[in-house]
Amino acid sequence: MSDNPYSTAVLAWYESNARDLPWRTPDASPWSVLVSEIMLQQTPVVRVLPAWEAWMERWPTPAHLAKEPSGEAVRMWNRLGYPRRALRLHACAVAITEEHDGQVPDDHATLLSLPGIGAYTAAAVASFAYGQRHAVLDTNVRRVLARAETGIEYPPKTQTKAETALAKSLLPPTASVAARWAVAVMELGALVCTARSPRCADCPIAGQCAWKLAGKPAYDGPPRRGQTYAGTDRQVRGKLLAVLRDSPGPVVKDALDAVWDDHVQRERALDALVSDGLVDPLDDGRYALPG
């Protein structure tokens, strides 16, 4: 028996309320799960879905992607944001193809050894692609557990050992059930126990939630600042990359200079793109996506 007091209610809720997403289907490949997990980092499902579908149509296996230059992954990433994720996916595809016979590893430690794969992604792929028993802690799960168990509105800014221990303690003992629990509590956080407007009336564990039972005390931790975009280096980087993505070949510097008036900020953003491996400066003074 599990010590998890929430699993029965959350699993039943998930059965009736889970979104129909293609990377959750029984025939979804481990590669498709890995692609979805990288894309879903810091990006909502509504934006990821069309990008994921286009990506999987073009590169249905790691070997398909590994054959192409990393710049094509950056181009295909389009406007999902945080484009270094495209480079990580390409590097993963190369490693999987060359070192693992083109198959996404089913071993958690081996997944962790892939380029750019951290603890969360390794646990998610092992759980969702292979039905294994791992604590999968994304922002949504951390928020649900903080409220239900700890009685606070928001989890700490940085994940703590205590959170990991709590998540592990709540894992159902059967691997397949634990994997189902992992995605179910994540979905609960995405759809019901949301950051700004939690729908407690629709929550299957509202009667057990420490935060709700305490009267939903307001968050009193360090200030939570939302991310800004307009006017930031991130916006400039996005505009510069858009020029390169939309061009069939290298572009002259003037084409990049035209997208942003602030010379200092523009050059800083361009230097960062080059440093991150997202842009290649060519010997003739032009710029291109990485080859």
Coordinates of all heavy atoms in Angstrom, one line a residue, residues 180-223:
R180 N 2.0 7.1 -13.5 CA 0.7 7.8 -13.8 C 0.5 8.9 -12.8 O 0.0 10.0 -13.1 CB -0.4 6.7 -13.6 CG -1.8 7.1 -14.0 CD -1.9 7.1 -15.5 NE -3.3 7.2 -15.9 CZ -3.7 7.4 -17.2 NH1 -2.8 7.6 -18.1 NH2 -4.9 7.6 -17.5
W181 N 0.9 8.7 -11.5 CA 0.8 9.7 -10.5 C 1.6 10.9 -10.9 O 1.1 12.1 -10.7 CB 1.2 9.2 -9.1 CG 1.7 10.2 -8.2 CD1 3.0 10.5 -7.9 CD2 0.9 11.1 -7.4 NE1 3.1 11.5 -6.9 CE2 1.8 11.9 -6.6 CE3 -0.5 11.2 -7.2 CZ2 1.3 12.8 -5.7 CZ3 -0.9 12.2 -6.3 CH2 0.0 13.0 -5.6
A182 N 2.8 10.7 -11.4 CA 3.7 11.8 -11.8 C 3.0 12.8 -12.8 O 3.1 14.0 -12.6 CB 5.0 11.3 -12.3
V183 N 2.4 12.2 -13.8 CA 1.8 13.0 -14.8 C 0.4 13.6 -14.3 O 0.1 14.7 -14.6 CB 1.6 12.3 -16.1 CG1 0.5 11.2 -16.0 CG2 1.3 13.2 -17.3
A184 N -0.2 12.9 -13.4 CA -1.5 13.3 -12.9 C -1.4 14.5 -12.0 O -2.2 15.5 -12.1 CB -2.2 12.2 -12.2
V185 N -0.4 14.5 -11.1 CA -0.3 15.7 -10.2 C 0.3 16.9 -11.0 O -0.1 18.0 -10.7 CB 0.7 15.3 -9.0 CG1 2.1 15.1 -9.4 CG2 0.6 16.3 -7.9
M186 N 1.1 16.6 -12.0 CA 1.5 17.7 -12.9 C 0.3 18.4 -13.6 O 0.2 19.6 -13.7 CB 2.5 17.1 -13.9 CG 3.2 18.2 -14.8 SD 4.3 17.4 -16.0 CE 5.5 16.7 -14.9
E187 N -0.6 17.5 -14.1 CA -1.8 18.0 -14.8 C -2.7 18.8 -13.8 O -3.2 19.8 -14.2 CB -2.5 16.9 -15.4 CG -3.6 17.3 -16.4 CD -3.1 17.7 -17.7 OE1 -1.9 18.1 -17.9 OE2 -3.8 17.6 -18.7
L188 N -2.8 18.3 -12.6 CA -3.6 19.0 -11.6 C -3.0 20.4 -11.4 O -3.8 21.4 -11.3 CB -3.6 18.2 -10.3 CG -4.4 18.8 -9.1 CD1 -5.9 18.7 -9.5 CD2 -4.2 18.0 -7.8
G189 N -1.7 20.6 -11.3 CA -1.1 21.9 -11.1 C -1.3 22.8 -12.3 O -1.5 24.0 -12.2
A190 N -1.3 22.2 -13.5 CA -1.4 23.0 -14.7 C -2.9 23.5 -14.9 O -3.1 24.6 -15.4 CB -1.0 22.1 -15.9
L191 N -3.9 22.7 -14.5 CA -5.2 23.0 -14.9 C -6.1 23.5 -13.7 O -7.0 24.3 -13.9 CB -5.9 21.7 -15.4 CG -5.4 21.1 -16.7 CD1 -6.2 19.9 -17.2 CD2 -5.3 22.2 -17.8
V192 N -5.8 23.1 -12.5 CA -6.6 23.4 -11.3 C -5.8 24.2 -10.3 O -6.2 25.3 -9.9 CB -7.2 22.1 -10.7 CG1 -7.9 22.5 -9.4 CG2 -8.1 21.5 -11.7
C193 N -4.7 23.7 -9.8 CA -3.9 24.3 -8.7 C -2.9 25.3 -9.4 O -1.7 25.1 -9.2 CB -3.2 23.2 -7.9 SG -2.5 23.9 -6.4
T194 N -3.5 26.2 -10.1 CA -2.6 27.1 -10.9 C -2.0 28.2 -10.0 O -2.4 28.4 -8.8 CB -3.5 27.8 -12.0 OG1 -4.5 28.5 -11.3 CG2 -4.0 26.8 -12.9
A195 N -1.0 28.9 -10.5 CA -0.2 29.8 -9.7 C -1.1 31.0 -9.2 O -1.1 31.4 -8.1 CB 1.0 30.3 -10.5
R196 N -1.8 31.6 -10.2 CA -2.5 32.9 -9.8 C -4.0 32.7 -9.4 O -4.4 33.4 -8.5 CB -2.4 33.8 -11.0 CG -1.0 34.3 -11.3 CD -1.0 35.3 -12.4 NE 0.4 35.7 -12.7 CZ 0.7 36.5 -13.7 NH1 -0.2 37.0 -14.5 NH2 2.0 36.8 -13.9
S197 N -4.7 31.8 -10.0 CA -6.1 31.6 -9.7 C -6.5 30.2 -9.5 O -7.2 29.6 -10.3 CB -6.9 32.2 -10.9 OG -6.6 33.6 -11.1
P198 N -6.0 29.6 -8.4 CA -6.3 28.2 -8.2 C -7.8 27.9 -8.1 O -8.6 28.7 -7.4 CB -5.6 27.8 -6.9 CG -5.4 29.2 -6.2 CD -5.2 30.2 -7.3
R199 N -8.3 26.9 -8.7 CA -9.7 26.5 -8.7 C -10.0 25.5 -7.7 O -10.2 24.3 -8.0 CB -10.2 26.1 -10.1 CG -10.1 27.2 -11.2 CD -10.2 26.7 -12.6 NE -11.0 25.4 -12.7 CZ -10.6 24.4 -13.5 NH1 -9.5 24.4 -14.1 NH2 -11.4 23.3 -13.5
C200 N -9.9 25.9 -6.4 CA -10.0 25.0 -5.3 C -11.3 24.2 -5.3 O -11.4 23.0 -4.9 CB -9.8 25.7 -4.0 SG -8.2 26.4 -3.8
A201 N -12.4 24.8 -5.8 CA -13.7 24.1 -5.8 C -13.7 22.9 -6.7 O -14.5 22.0 -6.6 CB -14.8 25.1 -6.3
D202 N -12.7 22.9 -7.7 CA -12.6 21.7 -8.6 C -11.5 20.8 -8.3 O -11.3 19.8 -9.0 CB -12.4 22.3 -10.1 CG -13.5 23.2 -10.6 OD1 -14.7 22.9 -10.2 OD2 -13.2 24.2 -11.3
C203 N -10.9 21.0 -7.2 CA -9.7 20.2 -6.8 C -10.1 18.9 -6.1 O -10.9 19.0 -5.1 CB -8.7 21.0 -5.9 SG -7.3 20.1 -5.5
P204 N -9.6 17.8 -6.5 CA -10.0 16.5 -5.9 C -9.4 16.3 -4.5 O -9.9 15.4 -3.8 CB -9.5 15.4 -6.9 CG -8.3 16.1 -7.5 CD -8.7 17.5 -7.7
I205 N -8.4 17.1 -4.1 CA -7.8 16.9 -2.8 C -8.0 18.2 -1.9 O -7.3 18.4 -1.0 CB -6.4 16.5 -2.9 CG1 -5.5 17.6 -3.7 CG2 -6.2 15.1 -3.5 CD1 -4.0 17.3 -3.6
A206 N -9.0 19.0 -2.3 CA -9.2 20.3 -1.5 C -9.4 20.0 -0.1 O -9.0 20.8 0.8 CB -10.3 21.1 -2.2
G207 N -10.1 18.9 0.2 CA -10.5 18.6 1.6 C -9.3 18.2 2.4 O -9.3 18.1 3.7
Q208 N -8.1 17.8 1.8 CA -6.9 17.4 2.4 C -5.8 18.4 2.3 O -4.7 18.2 2.9 CB -6.4 16.1 1.9 CG -7.4 15.0 1.9 CD -7.1 13.9 0.9 OE1 -7.5 13.9 -0.2 NE2 -6.3 12.9 1.3
C209 N -6.1 19.5 1.6 CA -5.0 20.5 1.3 C -4.7 21.4 2.5 O -5.6 22.1 3.0 CB -5.4 21.4 0.1 SG -4.3 22.7 -0.3
A210 N -3.5 21.3 3.0 CA -3.1 22.1 4.2 C -3.2 23.6 4.0 O -3.6 24.3 4.9 CB -1.6 21.7 4.6
W211 N -2.9 24.0 2.8 CA -3.0 25.5 2.5 C -4.5 25.9 2.6 O -4.8 26.9 3.2 CB -2.4 25.8 1.1 CG -2.4 27.2 0.8 CD1 -1.8 28.3 1.4 CD2 -3.0 27.8 -0.4 NE1 -2.1 29.5 0.8 CE2 -2.8 29.2 -0.4 CE3 -3.8 27.3 -1.5 CZ2 -3.2 30.1 -1.4 CZ3 -4.2 28.1 -2.5 CH2 -3.9 29.5 -2.4
K212 N -5.4 25.2 1.9 CA -6.8 25.5 1.9 C -7.4 25.4 3.3 O -8.1 26.3 3.8 CB -7.6 24.7 0.9 CG -9.1 25.1 0.8 CD -9.8 24.3 -0.3 CE -11.2 24.8 -0.4 NZ -12.0 24.6 0.7
L213 N -7.0 24.4 4.0 CA -7.5 24.2 5.4 C -7.1 25.3 6.3 O -7.7 25.6 7.3 CB -7.1 22.8 5.9 CG -7.8 21.6 5.2 CD1 -7.1 20.3 5.7 CD2 -9.3 21.6 5.4
A214 N -5.9 25.9 6.0 CA -5.4 27.0 6.9 C -6.0 28.3 6.5 O -5.6 29.4 7.0 CB -3.9 27.0 6.8
G215 N -6.9 28.3 5.5 CA -7.5 29.6 5.1 C -6.8 30.2 3.9 O -7.0 31.4 3.7
K216 N -6.0 29.5 3.2 CA -5.2 30.0 2.1 C -4.4 31.2 2.4 O -4.6 32.3 1.9 CB -6.1 30.2 0.9 CG -6.8 29.0 0.4 CD -7.3 29.0 -1.0 CE -8.6 29.9 -1.1 NZ -9.2 29.8 -2.4
P217 N -3.5 31.1 3.4 CA -2.7 32.3 3.8 C -1.9 32.8 2.7 O -1.3 32.0 1.8 CB -1.8 31.7 4.9 CG -1.8 30.2 4.7 CD -3.1 29.9 4.2
A218 N -1.7 34.1 2.6 CA -1.0 34.8 1.5 C 0.5 34.4 1.6 O 1.0 34.3 2.7 CB -1.2 36.3 1.6
Y219 N 1.1 34.4 0.5 CA 2.5 34.1 0.4 C 3.3 35.2 1.1 O 3.0 36.4 0.8 CB 2.9 34.0 -1.1 CG 4.4 33.9 -1.3 CD1 5.1 32.7 -1.1 CD2 5.1 34.9 -1.9 CE1 6.4 32.5 -1.4 CE2 6.5 34.8 -2.1 CZ 7.1 33.6 -1.9 OH 8.5 33.5 -2.1
D220 N 4.3 34.9 1.9 CA 5.0 35.9 2.6 C 6.5 35.7 2.5 O 7.3 36.2 3.3 CB 4.7 36.0 4.1 CG 5.0 34.6 4.8 OD1 5.5 33.7 4.2 OD2 4.8 34.6 6.1
G221 N 6.9 35.0 1.4 CA 8.3 34.8 1.2 C 8.9 35.9 0.3 O 8.4 37.0 0.2
P222 N 10.1 35.6 -0.2 CA 10.8 36.6 -1.1 C 9.9 37.1 -2.2 O 9.1 36.3 -2.7 CB 12.0 35.9 -1.6 CG 12.3 34.8 -0.6 CD 10.9 34.4 -0.1
P223 N 10.0 38.3 -2.7 CA 9.2 38.8 -3.8 C 9.3 37.9 -5.0 O 10.3 37.5 -5.4 CB 9.7 40.2 -4.1 CG 10.4 40.6 -2.8 CD 11.0 39.3 -2.2

